[in-house]
Amino acid sequence: MSYLEMRKEMNATSGMFLRVKDGENRIRVVTEPLKIWKSFDKATKTAKVYVTEAGAAKDPEAKPRWMMYVINRDGNQLQVAEFGTQVMNQFLDIATSTEGFENVDALMFDFILIKKGQLMETEYTLQASRKETALTEEERIMLVKAKSIQEILQNDKAVVDGGDMSVPF
């Protein structure tokens, strides 16, 4: 399934992509983040996605974002999450803190992502769950069966890097 098809499916159902609800969202990051760039056109309510820095350089509005698989603990679903700099900086702060996480693989912990506000006033706060929780066998199987995010994006790389791919947001 191409990235464009995935985004269309996301608008029809919330199964494949993480939709952050108001309040607490407990997630487990299960893959390393993949950096992409995205620009938004508010007039047409579309976004352009770039998978290389060279592609993004052609679009002065393109901002870095990161995609990764997470397990949404609300329903234990494997979903694709996309975060901006605000959330990624909080992941890095936790990973490099002196509160006991600095020498630990962050993928061993759940995180609580708290969403407050709407639209341009939305704020996200990330907290690490101090309780180490092993992945279940079912979660491991879901992850093994999933296509990599790189593979999904590479299927559309020529379109994405050309900046022609506009998807609804």
Side-chain angles (χ1 to χ4, degrees):
M1 177 181 296
S2 73
Y3 183 74
L4 181 57
E5 291 167 330
M6 285 176 33
R7 295 301 294 196
K8 285 180 180 177
E9 182 176 314
M10 180 192 81
N11 289 331
T13 69
S14 61
M16 188 173 287
F17 283 77
L18 176 68
R19 287 193 177 207
V20 180
K21 65 180 193 242
D22 290 334
E24 291 187 0
N25 299 265
R26 192 167 175 193
I27 60 171
R28 164 69 66 89
V29 176
V30 292
T31 61
E32 294 291 327
L34 174 70
K35 189 174 184 180
I36 62 167
W37 292 261
K38 193 181 254 189
S39 64
F40 297 95
D41 184 335
K42 292 179 184 172
T44 61
K45 295 187 178 182
T46 59
K48 290 183 180 176
V49 179
Y50 304 92
V51 295
T52 66
E53 194 165 0
K58 299 172 191 172
D59 184 347
E61 299 297 316
K63 303 283 188 245
R65 300 188 64 80
W66 289 264
M67 293 179 77
M68 65 202 75
Y69 274 113
V70 300
I71 294 176
N72 182 351
R73 293 296 189 194
D74 183 18
N76 263 8
Q77 295 181 20
L78 182 67
Q79 296 177 312
V80 176
E82 182 181 311
F83 298 120
T85 303
Q86 178 188 24
V87 173
M88 286 307 296
N89 282 338
Q90 292 180 57
F91 274 117
L92 290 172
D93 288 346
I94 291 169
T96 59
S97 77
T98 58
E99 295 299 315
F101 292 99
E102 67 275 6
N103 293 316
V104 177
D105 185 351
L107 301 180
M108 296 172 60
F109 292 88
D110 284 358
F111 291 90
I112 301 166
L113 181 61
I114 303 166
K115 177 184 173 188
K116 292 181 184 175
Q118 297 294 318
L119 303 171
M120 297 303 289
E121 303 297 319
T122 305
E123 291 183 17
Y124 296 96
T125 305
L126 189 70
Q127 300 173 353
S129 172
R130 299 286 277 163
K131 182 180 176 186
E132 192 173 320
T133 307
L135 291 177
T136 66
E137 188 63 26
E138 179 184 352
E139 291 166 343
R140 291 178 195 274
I141 291 170
M142 283 190 299
L143 187 55
V144 168
K145 288 183 176 180
K147 277 187 172 182
S148 73
I149 293 172
Q150 294 91 332
E151 183 181 354
I152 293 165
L153 291 174
Q154 283 173 352
N155 289 338
D156 287 326
K157 187 173 182 180
V159 175
V160 174
D161 275 356
D164 299 330
M165 185 174 138
S166 294
V167 293
F169 64 85

